[in-house]
């Protein structure tokens, strides 16, 4: 692990994650852990009191051993990580209740790049409207918009591309497909 | 001692609460709230948020009642520096993180900056409903009738709300929120602010947030003006500035003088004038 | 400019701390060792409210705080925050406690007997010192004493109301729950609560704002083993012993949802020898889970919000003292609103 300071990486990566969520559509950078950007995010978010579900091929065992979260089902998970963009995960993720809308899932999707489709974003964190490229199609956006239609209930989505760039959609973000 | 005093699990919990708070503007997220070597009620909520989000590259500014040199600001700044060794500044423009008690700086903040406000009473409904479960139900239903009744009763009796500071606001048209004990003069700065605003209440164990570019409006009747503190015709006796929030100072000679409350702003004005 | 001109706060703080040091240390001829071994009830109060079992650190904190026990507890809590949680120990059963003192006022004689042990209850409070001779009984034995709760026979006879167990045991230092509060969280809050605050709330119920006139079913002071699962061998190992106080109070009877009628009880338990606190806690546990019958639900000590949010000494002390911080911005804001209201009213009078 040649002197890798995981806590220091977490500090830096947290800034990227919170900036991305506070300003949906803004691209920030994640520094990798064990050569993986997804594992870096897992290492940042996982701890004793949270649950997760992972669908993918990366070796998450070491991060799990270090951070000690609980593995659970898609329906129960605080964090849902996936190597591919899958609307089923959004459909099944928990979205909180009116008393505790924060008891809801955050989804983290890996993708190759963001250059698939152009979308128009608006909502908190966005100065008016903002055009961004996202790796998801109209069907995905329809599912997400439906999931997040009962605000304050909903989910947050992060996309990480192959070069460690991060982009987020908050539950308050309105997305129009261009 | 480890960077940022708190152990990594504590930070992770605070960060999780912070992210949820950003996702649901104005909604209070519960957190465990660790005890710090600084007393409860003295800014431990803001301090925990700052310690959980700060990294080596951040330049820090700490103010209390508008002043970087106030004893509590000095104490909190010294503590943070002793556990992070980070750079500090008095300049609002240069700071990445500003921890503040009871004021939003005069100079506008920009994207990428974070304002951390210390909060004594996170629950805007406290004055009309003491039971925390009932408060939660009221928030769940966006039922703020009791706040409106309070506003109505005050207006009928005194022409306006009796609330002088920590004036209730509506965030993103959904949650009524306590903006921490800032004066009404600062309330309008919450609307569409470019910086991320994080609010931390240590004793009451709540974190909430206003992301940048978020609609924040004071709770008021449509036909009533939202009156903020006015210092009309007053000039700072030190730098000559006007139109800012001022401190009223009674001198030993019995004179009343006015000074910029934001002391870093005052210093800057003075410097500009001298040039 | 006095209070407002708090620039230069840096030097002011330093000097203030230096004066404080002088105030405390000038004639200090004792050390932490002496405190730990002579002021045990002070030390025990601090480990209990500080929520950290270390008599040594407690004694040091008392010394540092110049004898202010609430402040000393604050030192321990702050220290506790910087310690990582290694794991969760096994449940301690009070029946397995090595008892040094045990009384029950519910029965004249009980299994295991009444054991007065060390107590100042019957001390005549005269400040003059006098030595007390100890009588050595002929049948005195040096054996460890373990006793079961004096209420066990009643419990075995199904006469006592039992509350459902929490499925998940809270840890309020990790996740602070929202209302409705799980019982395990409420018990933790009380176990680290401030003795005086808990006493006052419990007293409201005894005296008139409630109807709990408890009988002390079982009060035990003693030592309990702390056991832990070894992280590598997975064997159960003893990692030490702690002094604890445990109290069971019995109160009035109540009709249950299944139609039966049962006695209500409450449980109090905390670090160290803190009888008043453990008794107060057992009464609060009774009042919270058994609403008053005589004055309706208008009591103080039967209100979860009242107890959960107002008995922590570190919090209430901190907040009370924070009013010493400058509040001139908020006061200025309030003054302007007051001026506006005055203007509005005077216009109204002229009409």
């Amino acid at each position: 692990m040649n002197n890798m300071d995981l806590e220091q990486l977490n500090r830096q990566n947290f800034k990227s994650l919170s900036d991305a969520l506070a300003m949906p559509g803004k691209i920030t950078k994640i520094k990798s852990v064990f050569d993986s950007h997804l594992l870096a995010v897992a290492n940042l978010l996982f701890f004793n009191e949270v649950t997760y579900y992972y669908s993918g091929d990366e070796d998450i065992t070491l991060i799990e051993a270090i951070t000690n979260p609980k593995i659970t089902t898609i329906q129960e998970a605080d964090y849902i990580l996936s190597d591919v963009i899958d609307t089923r995960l959004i459909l099944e993720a928990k979205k909180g209740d009116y008393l505790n809308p924060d008891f809801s899932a955050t989804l983290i999707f890996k993708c190759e790049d963001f250059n698939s489709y152009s979308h128009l974003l608006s909502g908190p964190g966005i100065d008016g409207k903002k055009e961004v490229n996202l790796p998801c199609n109209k069907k995905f956006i329809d599912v997400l918009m439906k999931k997040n239609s009962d605000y304050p209930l909903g989910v947050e989505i992060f996309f990480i591309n192959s070069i460690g760039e991060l982009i987020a959609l908050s539950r308050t973000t309105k997305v129009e497909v261009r | 001692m480890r960077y940022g005093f708190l152990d990594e699990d504590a930070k992770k919990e605070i960060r999780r609460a912070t992210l949820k708070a950003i996702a649901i503007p104005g909604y209070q997220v519960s957190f465990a709230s660790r005890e710090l070597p600084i007393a409860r009620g003295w800014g431990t909520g803001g301090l925990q948020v700052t310690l959980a989000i700060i990294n080596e590259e951040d330049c820090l500014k700490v103010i209390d009642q508008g002043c970087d040199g106030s004893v509590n600001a000095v104490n909190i700044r010294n503590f943070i520096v002793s556990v992070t060794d980070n750079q500090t500044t008095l300049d609002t423009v240069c700071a990445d993180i500003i921890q503040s008690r009871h004021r939003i700086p005069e100079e506008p903040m920009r994207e990428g900056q974070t304002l951390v406000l210390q909060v004594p009473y996170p629950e805007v409904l406290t004055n009309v409903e003491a039971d925390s479960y009932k408060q939660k139900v009221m928030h769940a239903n966006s039922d703020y009738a009791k706040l409106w009744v309070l506003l109505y009763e005050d207006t009928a009796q005194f022409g306006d709300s009796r609330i002088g500071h920590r004036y209730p606001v509506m965030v993103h048209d959904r949650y009524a929120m306590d903006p921490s004990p800032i004066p009404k003069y600062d309330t309008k700065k919450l609307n569409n602010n470019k910086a991320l605003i994080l609010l931390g209440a240590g004793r009451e164990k709540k974190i909430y947030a206003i992301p940048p570019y978020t609609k924040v409006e004071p709770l008021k009747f449509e036909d009533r003006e939202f009156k903020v503190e006015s210092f009309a015709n007053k000039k700072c006796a030190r730098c000559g500035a006007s139109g800012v929030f001022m401190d009223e100072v009674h001198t030993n000679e019995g004179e009343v003088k006015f000074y910029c409350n934001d002391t870093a702003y005052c210093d800057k004005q003075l410097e500009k004038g001298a040039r | 400019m006095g209070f407002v001109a708090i620039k230069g706060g840096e030097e002011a703080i330093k000097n203030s701390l230096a004066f404080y040091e002088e105030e405390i240390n000038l004639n200090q001829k004792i050390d932490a060792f002496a405190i730990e071994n002579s002021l045990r009830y002070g030390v025990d109060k601090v480990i209990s409210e500080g929520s950290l079992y270390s008599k040594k650190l407690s004694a040091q904190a008392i010394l540092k705080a110049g004898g202010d026990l609430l402040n000393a507890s604050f030192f321990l809590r702050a220290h506790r925050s910087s310690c990582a949680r290694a794991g969760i120990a096994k449940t301690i059963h009070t029946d397995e406690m090595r008892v040094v003192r045990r009384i029950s006022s519910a029965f004249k004689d009980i299994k295991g007997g009444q054991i007065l042990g060390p107590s100042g209850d019957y001390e005549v409070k005269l400040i003059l010192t006098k030595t007390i001779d100890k009588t050595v009984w002929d049948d005195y034995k040096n054996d460890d004493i373990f006793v079961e709760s004096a209420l066990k026979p009643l419990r075995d006879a199904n006469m006592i109301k039992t509350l459902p167990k929490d499925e998940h045991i809270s840890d309020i230092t990790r996740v602070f729950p929202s209302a409705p509060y799980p019982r395990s969280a409420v018990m933790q809050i009380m176990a680290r609560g401030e003795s005086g605050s808990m006493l006052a709330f419990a007293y409201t119920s005894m005296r008139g704002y409630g109807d709990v006139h408890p009988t002390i079913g079982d009060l035990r002071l003693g030592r309990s083993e702390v056991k832990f699962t070894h992280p590598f061998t997975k064997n159960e190992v003893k990692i030490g012993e702690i002094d604890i106080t445990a109290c069971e109070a019995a109160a009035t009877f109540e009709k249950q949802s299944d139609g039966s009628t049962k006695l209500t009880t409450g449980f109090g338990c905390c670090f160290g020898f803190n009888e008043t606190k453990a008794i107060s806690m057992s009464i609060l546990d009774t009042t919270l889970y058994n609403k008053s019958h005589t004055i309706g639900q208008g009591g103080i000590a039967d209100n979860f919000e009242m107890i959960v949010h107002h008995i922590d000494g570190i919090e209430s002390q901190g907040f009370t003292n924070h009013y010493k911080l400058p509040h001139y911005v908020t006061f200025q804001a309030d003054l302007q609103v007051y001026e506006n209201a005055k203007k509005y009213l005077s216009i109204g009078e002229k009409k």
Side-chain angles (χ1 to χ4, degrees):
Chain A
M1 277 204 270
N2 51 18
N3 287 333
M4 184 167 61
D5 184 341
L6 288 177
E7 294 187 6
Q8 187 176 8
L9 278 175
N10 283 347
R11 287 196 281 282
Q12 292 165 352
N13 283 339
F14 178 73
K15 173 75 177 157
S16 302
L17 210 72
S18 78
D19 273 356
L21 187 64
M23 290 173 273
K26 184 188 167 82
I27 296 172
T28 61
K29 281 286 280 179
I30 289 288
K31 286 185 183 167
S32 63
V33 167
F34 308 138
D35 293 326
S36 161
H37 299 111
L38 187 76
L39 294 185
V41 172
N43 187 56
L44 167 63
L45 296 173
F46 288 1
F47 65 107
N48 227 319
E49 312 295 333
V50 299
T51 56
Y52 82 97
Y53 173 89
Y54 174 49
S55 149
D57 297 330
E58 296 208 33
D59 184 4
I60 205 158
T61 46
L62 188 55
I63 293 296
E64 197 195 306
I66 298 171
T67 59
N68 207 21
K70 283 177 249 353
I71 304 178
T72 185
T73 58
I74 306 171
Q75 294 80 6
E76 292 289 317
D78 296 322
Y79 296 108
I80 298 170
L81 291 74
S82 172
D83 284 5
V84 290
I85 294 170
D86 182 356
T87 50
R88 187 179 64 102
L89 297 175
I90 296 182
L91 284 169
E92 293 186 18
K94 62 178 176 184
K95 59 176 184 176
D97 57 43
Y98 286 100
L99 279 179
N100 299 293
D102 54 327
F103 292 179
S104 49
T106 301
L107 295 97
I108 297 130
F109 291 116
K110 278 205 319 191
C111 60
E112 194 45 43
D113 57 50
F114 299 149
N115 303 325
S116 310
Y117 303 89
S118 169
H119 300 270
L120 202 60
L121 308 187
S122 60
I126 302 151
D127 189 7
K129 292 200 173 198
K130 185 175 184 178
E131 198 181 330
V132 294
N133 286 321
L134 294 173
C136 47
N137 58 18
K138 183 170 185 314
K139 185 192 159 211
F140 179 96
I141 296 301
D142 286 347
V143 169
L144 179 64
M145 288 301 101
K146 185 145 186 281
K147 187 82 179 182
N148 288 347
S149 60
D150 291 337
Y151 182 75
L153 312 191
V155 296
E156 289 80 56
I157 310 269
F158 289 91
F159 298 104
I160 313 174
N161 69 16
S162 57
I163 53 167
E165 287 176 337
L166 188 74
I167 201 164
L169 298 174
S170 190
R171 69 180 69 189
T172 52
T173 311
K174 294 274 162 281
V175 188
E176 296 165 54
V177 184
R178 297 274 283 175
Chain B
M1 198 176 290
R2 68 199 314 148
Y3 183 93
F5 183 78
L6 296 166
D7 70 83
E8 190 67 1
D9 270 14
K11 284 186 190 171
K12 282 180 172 177
E13 197 234 344
I14 296 166
R15 288 171 184 157
R16 173 172 165 77
T18 303
L19 290 174
K20 282 295 172 194
I22 293 170
I24 314 167
Y27 169 77
Q28 302 162 55
V29 184
S30 289
F31 78 116
S33 192
R34 302 292 205 272
E35 280 89 2
L36 295 174
I38 307 259
R40 286 282 210 225
W42 295 59
T44 55
L47 192 52
Q48 286 180 83
V49 171
T50 300
L51 293 173
I53 67 168
I54 197 167
N55 71 47
E56 287 80 349
E57 284 146 37
D58 290 321
C59 185
L60 175 78
K61 172 179 165 79
V62 183
I63 38 177
D64 188 307
Q65 305 263 311
C67 179
D68 301 83
S70 149
V71 275
N72 197 43
V74 168
N75 198 34
I76 287 176
R77 184 185 314 109
N78 283 352
F79 173 67
I80 299 173
V81 170
S82 75
V83 294
T84 61
D85 206 24
N86 268 44
Q87 229 192 326
T88 64
T89 181
L90 306 185
D91 192 338
T92 298
V93 179
C94 298
D96 296 300
I97 298 172
I98 301 179
Q99 180 169 333
S100 172
R101 174 172 168 262
H102 298 188
R103 268 316 303 276
I104 297 173
E106 291 291 348
E107 285 183 275
M109 294 183 67
R110 58 179 157 75
E111 263 187 36
Q113 283 184 308
T114 305
L115 174 66
V116 180
L117 289 170
Q118 301 169 197
V119 183
Y121 311 96
E123 183 47 74
V124 70
L125 295 168
T126 304
N127 293 339
V128 291
E129 175 56 65
D131 185 293
S132 68
Y133 183 71
K134 287 182 188 156
Q135 291 163 352
K136 242 179 134 48
V137 172
M138 286 160 80
H139 281 298
N141 298 326
S142 207
D143 168 13
Y144 300 122
K146 281 189 170 182
L147 277 181
W148 287 107
V149 171
L150 177 72
L151 183 59
Y152 176 78
E153 283 178 352
D154 276 1
T155 309
Q157 219 180 331
F158 301 107
D160 200 351
S161 165
R162 257 190 296 180
I163 302 171
H165 58 278
R166 55 183 283 256
Y167 194 90
V169 292
M170 281 299 287
V171 181
H172 187 49
D173 293 323
R174 178 56 179 82
Y175 284 106
M177 187 194 91
D178 184 300
S180 92
I182 52 170
K184 286 155 108 182
Y185 173 89
D186 285 343
T187 307
K188 58 185 181 188
K189 294 182 200 163
L190 297 170
N191 187 42
N192 255 324
N193 199 307
K194 291 180 179 167
L196 169 64
I197 302 171
L198 300 175
L199 300 102
R203 204 172 34 79
E204 298 287 344
K205 306 172 187 67
K206 295 283 194 283
I207 289 171
Y208 51 109
I210 305 172
Y213 308 110
T214 300
K215 185 177 168 193
V216 182
E217 288 195 317
L219 201 75
K220 67 166 198 69
F221 293 119
E222 269 170 27
D223 60 346
R224 293 278 161 167
E225 179 199 358
F226 181 64
K227 271 194 216 135
V228 304
E229 298 78 8
S230 153
F231 300 89
N233 312 320
K234 304 281 192 305
K235 267 189 174 172
C236 172
R238 185 163 170 267
C239 75
S242 57
V244 295
F245 194 89
M246 300 223 186
D247 292 336
E248 180 182 326
V249 176
H250 299 249
T251 67
N252 287 343
E253 290 73 36
E255 272 180 282
V256 178
K257 286 189 169 177
F258 286 86
Y259 295 93
C260 295
N261 168 264
D262 184 335
T263 53
Y265 176 83
C266 190
D267 287 348
K268 239 186 197 177
Q269 295 305 111
L270 206 61
E271 212 175 290
K272 272 187 199 161
R275 249 188 269 137
Chain C
M1 293 199 301
F3 196 41
V4 176
I6 29 186
K7 272 208 153 184
E10 189 99 43
E11 291 75 27
I13 287 180
K14 267 189 204 151
N15 277 353
S16 169
L17 281 175
F19 291 143
Y20 179 68
E21 278 281 299
E22 277 176 25
E23 199 70 41
I24 290 176
N25 289 336
L26 210 56
N27 290 307
Q28 209 163 66
K29 292 194 177 72
I30 43 170
D31 55 15
F33 181 82
I35 289 175
E36 189 182 338
N37 292 287
S38 55
L39 302 178
R40 86 152 291 169
Y41 293 99
V43 169
D44 282 13
K45 187 176 151 82
V46 170
I47 54 170
S48 164
E49 294 172 15
S51 194
L52 180 75
Y53 196 95
S54 168
K55 297 210 175 196
K56 202 169 154 190
L57 290 180
S58 167
Q60 249 164 35
I62 291 171
L63 198 64
K64 267 197 96 101
D68 179 335
L69 297 186
L70 200 41
N71 220 354
S73 309
F74 177 23
F75 273 101
L76 283 204
R77 284 271 188 102
H79 178 70
R80 188 187 196 286
S81 275
S82 65
C83 307
R85 181 176 67 175
I88 298 169
K90 301 276 158 206
T91 306
I92 290 173
H93 295 279
T94 45
D95 285 359
E96 291 161 16
M97 160 199 233
R98 275 211 329 269
V99 164
V100 299
R101 166 164 162 78
R102 183 282 185 104
I103 50 167
S104 170
S105 47
F107 303 97
K108 187 173 181 188
D109 211 354
I110 40 174
K111 193 174 166 190
Q114 308 270 10
I115 303 159
L116 273 189
S119 169
D121 283 351
Y122 300 99
E123 173 187 50
V124 179
K125 305 297 181 209
L126 292 171
I127 248 159
L128 303 169
T129 31
K130 62 173 187 181
T131 45
I132 298 159
D133 299 324
K134 199 155 78 177
T135 313
V136 179
W137 302 96
D138 291 339
D139 55 353
Y140 176 79
K141 279 195 292 255
N142 214 2
D143 299 346
D144 289 343
I145 308 167
F146 302 93
V147 290
E148 62 178 36
S149 169
L151 294 182
K152 190 169 181 289
L154 303 187
R155 194 163 277 131
D156 290 345
N158 204 18
M159 288 162 70
I160 288 177
K161 170 181 168 184
T162 45
L163 295 167
K165 248 188 186 163
D166 285 359
E167 260 173 54
H168 165 80
I169 302 296
S170 297
D171 179 350
I172 56 162
T173 67
R174 300 291 148 151
V175 178
F176 199 89
S178 299
Y181 308 100
R183 184 154 179 261
S184 55
V186 176
M187 295 304 264
Q188 280 166 34
I189 291 165
M190 292 204 280
R192 61 182 354 211
E194 200 263 326
S195 316
S197 311
M198 290 166 69
L199 173 65
F201 278 120
Y203 186 50
T204 60
S205 176
M206 297 174 234
R207 217 209 116 257
Y209 292 85
D211 57 7
V212 171
H213 308 287
T215 303
I216 293 185
D218 191 85
L219 173 70
R220 279 174 284 183
L221 282 74
R223 318 208 83 199
S224 283
E225 293 184 351
V226 180
K227 289 175 187 154
F228 208 79
T229 306
H230 194 281
F232 300 121
T233 66
K234 306 287 176 204
N235 291 330
E236 195 169 275
V237 287
K238 175 182 161 182
I239 56 166
E241 287 191 347
I242 55 171
D243 288 346
I244 60 167
T245 307
C247 180
E248 272 187 275
T252 185
F253 54 87
E254 226 189 37
K255 203 146 203 172
Q256 305 302 303
S257 51
D258 66 357
S260 65
T261 302
K262 286 187 176 159
L263 285 170
T264 60
T265 60
F267 182 61
C269 188
C270 59
F271 281 162
F273 290 177
N274 292 289
E275 290 181 30
T276 311
K277 176 170 172 174
I279 296 168
S280 303
M281 181 170 165
S282 70
I283 292 167
L284 291 177
D285 184 39
T286 314
T287 57
L288 286 172
Y289 292 91
N290 307 285
K291 293 278 180 197
S292 345
H293 302 287
T294 47
I295 60 161
Q297 300 200 351
I300 297 167
D302 62 8
N303 181 334
F304 280 95
E305 292 288 319
M306 199 68 86
I307 303 307
V308 162
H309 296 295
H310 299 103
I311 58 167
D312 193 279
I314 313 301
E315 286 174 0
S316 56
Q317 158 189 255
F319 201 54
T320 303
N321 279 312
H322 112 280
Y323 285 105
K324 291 181 283 190
L325 289 176
H327 280 80
Y328 50 87
V329 169
T330 45
F331 192 67
Q332 179 65 243
D334 292 348
L335 269 185
Q336 292 219 4
V337 172
Y338 166 63
E339 291 293 342
N340 289 343
K342 244 178 27 182
K343 229 181 275 168
Y344 175 83
L345 289 172
S346 70
I347 293 166
E349 274 160 22
K350 273 182 216 147
K351 267 186 212 162

